[in-house]
Amino acid sequence: VQVDWSVGPDGRLVLRWTEASCPPIKPPTRRGFGMRVMESMIRGQLKGDIRFDWGAEGLACEIALSGVR
């Protein structure tokens, strides 16, 4: 697992979670409780964006938050 962060050109804080060399995974067929909680917190409470990419080597998740300057 690699976790890193940066400040985008628009001033948003961007957090990235990237898994590598994982056993093969498949994207979920439904949004479970954990995913709904994460989306609600990021989009609702923090006014940010969250994106999941279910790749062959593992999950990549990117969270962008506004107003962090």
Side-chain angles (χ1 to χ4, degrees):
V1 172
Q2 179 176 341
V3 179
D4 60 304
W5 66 274
S6 62
V7 177
D10 58 357
R12 297 189 332 160
L13 173 66
V14 180
L15 303 169
R16 290 181 192 87
W17 166 286
T18 308
E19 299 173 351
S21 302
C22 296
I25 61 170
K26 293 181 182 179
T29 57
R30 62 180 182 83
R31 285 177 45 237
F33 176 76
M35 189 171 292
R36 288 194 311 265
V37 168
M38 288 177 60
E39 290 173 341
S40 175
M41 287 173 48
I42 301 301
R43 292 188 178 125
Q45 295 177 4
L46 300 174
K47 307 300 182 218
D49 293 312
I50 187 167
R51 183 178 58 84
F52 298 96
D53 181 15
W54 301 89
E57 288 203 6
L59 172 65
C61 177
E62 184 173 284
I63 299 169
L65 303 172
S66 299
V68 295
R69 285 189 172 187

